[in-house]
Amino acid sequence: MQPIIDIHIHMMPYSMLKPPILDLIKRYCQDWAEVERIIGDSKAFLGLLDQLGIERAGLINYVAPEIIGFTPEVNEWIVNYCKVAPDRFLAFGGVLPGTVPDPGAEVDRLAKLGIRALKMHPSHQLLSPNDYRNGNRGLAAIYERAQANGLPLMIHTGTSIFPGARNLHAQPLLCDDLGVDYPDLVVILAHGGRPLWMEEAFFLVRRHKNMYIDISGIPPQKLMEYFPRIEMIADKVLWGTDWPGPGAPDIKRNIEMFLALPINHQTKRKILYDNAARLFPR
Ligand SMILES: [Zn+2]
């Protein structure tokens, strides 16, 4: 069976969420009680991954106190969570300028703590990814230290309907500067800019040697419409679902629909496993 790495699963401290955000997630979720049960029980979650043939999962966390409610404590939370199965779980953490005294030192600390990658969510953090060009020294320090520590950086691109999200920050092209100024930093453009800016994302991954997309949150039936030339970037695309987000009600069905798409076998294998395995060596 084809092994899978799902690089984008939202295993987060849901108790930190602001009530309107949690309400929206529940409204889109078909069976929140079941999702809540799995989230609260790491053994049940591992069981689900086993059942689906998912070898490893990127567990996404980020800091966005104002809009979402996530404080820097998400980092300790996810590192602790991942201790149950360090060979299966990849802890994604976050650093946001203004929430810690020294953002660069915080990246160094997280790398030692066991965080494997960083996540930024510009539309929930009210911050453009290239704000360091306007003098945001904290953001520059985060990128410098992530690059030096070999921590990949995932950046949300594409729309968000969460109350308070400011979508102007979520355009992939705002990440072009990172490819220029931090060429050795691995940048994963989450969601490939869907549903508005796929061409920008496609351009960037072709332009910059360390820029990737993940296809999480994209309904598989839309993938070929969104990325008709996906085979040209076969080495730069990562599988992810965004579970339990609005675009990923059913992980199994997403995998089945992806496998049925008219994409060559080798490209599918690279997307489902090889590319992420290369970025996250054991
Ligand atoms: Zn996500």
Side-chain angles (χ1 to χ4, degrees):
M1 200 168 131
Q2 163 70 54
I4 295 171
I5 299 176
D6 186 330
I7 205 61
H8 198 130
I9 286 187
H10 283 276
M11 187 57 69
M12 338 183 275
Y14 282 81
S15 59
M16 278 192 192
L17 289 175
K18 292 185 184 257
I21 306 286
L22 188 58
D23 286 349
L24 184 134
I25 292 175
K26 285 182 184 172
R27 211 175 329 132
Y28 274 91
C29 189
Q30 282 162 355
D31 188 354
W32 177 251
E34 174 63 4
V35 167
E36 210 171 21
R37 187 185 70 80
I38 293 169
I39 289 170
D41 178 353
S42 51
K43 293 244 165 61
F45 180 54
L46 276 171
L48 177 69
L49 297 184
D50 288 341
Q51 193 190 318
L52 297 167
I54 298 173
E55 179 192 279
R56 282 185 277 168
L59 305 185
I60 305 297
N61 280 270
Y62 58 97
V63 176
E66 196 179 328
I67 303 296
I68 309 296
F70 291 136
T71 68
E73 284 161 35
V74 296
N75 293 307
E76 270 71 25
W77 186 90
I78 191 59
V79 165
N80 270 328
Y81 186 94
C82 289
K83 281 178 182 157
V84 181
D87 55 331
R88 309 276 308 271
F89 295 154
L90 300 161
F92 279 60
V95 183
L96 179 65
T99 63
V100 284
D102 183 342
E106 175 74 349
V107 174
D108 292 339
R109 188 183 76 84
L110 296 186
K112 286 199 197 86
L113 199 64
I115 292 286
R116 296 291 305 273
L118 299 177
K119 166 82 187 280
M120 299 204 73
H121 203 310
S123 51
H124 294 173
Q125 295 171 326
L126 311 180
L127 177 67
S128 283
N130 65 347
D131 196 48
Y132 66 93
R133 301 262 303 148
N134 300 320
N136 188 332
R137 302 276 296 273
L139 198 55
I142 291 168
Y143 297 154
E144 277 161 20
R145 297 317 301 159
Q147 182 173 253
N149 282 289
L151 291 183
L153 170 67
M154 178 186 282
I155 303 178
H156 175 102
T157 61
T159 55
S160 166
I161 54 167
F162 282 13
R166 298 199 182 262
N167 284 294
L168 205 63
H169 300 295
Q171 300 172 73
L173 213 52
L174 295 168
C175 301
D176 185 46
D177 287 323
L178 274 72
V180 175
D181 296 325
Y182 304 95
D184 296 326
L185 177 64
V186 169
V187 174
I188 303 164
L189 305 171
H191 320 300
R194 68 92 184 91
L196 301 179
W197 304 299
M198 291 75 74
E199 285 178 359
E200 290 184 17
F202 186 79
F203 165 75
L204 292 178
V205 301
R206 293 186 73 200
R207 178 179 186 207
H208 299 296
K209 72 173 171 23
N210 282 313
M211 214 164 270
Y212 294 74
I213 61 168
D214 83 28
I215 53 173
S216 69
I218 298 177
Q221 69 272 21
K222 286 276 189 186
L223 186 62
M224 300 311 287
E225 182 191 320
Y226 284 3
F227 292 100
R229 293 186 289 164
I230 196 165
E231 286 171 347
M232 284 179 71
I233 53 168
D235 295 313
K236 309 293 282 294
V237 181
L238 308 179
W239 175 255
T241 53
D242 210 23
W243 186 87
D250 184 342
I251 297 178
K252 183 164 188 268
R253 200 170 134 70
N254 264 31
I255 295 169
E256 286 168 355
M257 287 173 77
F258 174 74
L259 286 171
L261 291 175
I263 299 172
N264 75 57
H265 179 72
Q266 203 183 8
T267 298
K268 283 179 186 163
R269 201 193 64 223
K270 288 177 174 181
I271 292 174
L272 285 169
Y273 188 81
D274 296 355
N275 296 335
R278 198 171 63 247
L279 291 183
F280 295 96
R282 285 199 197 259

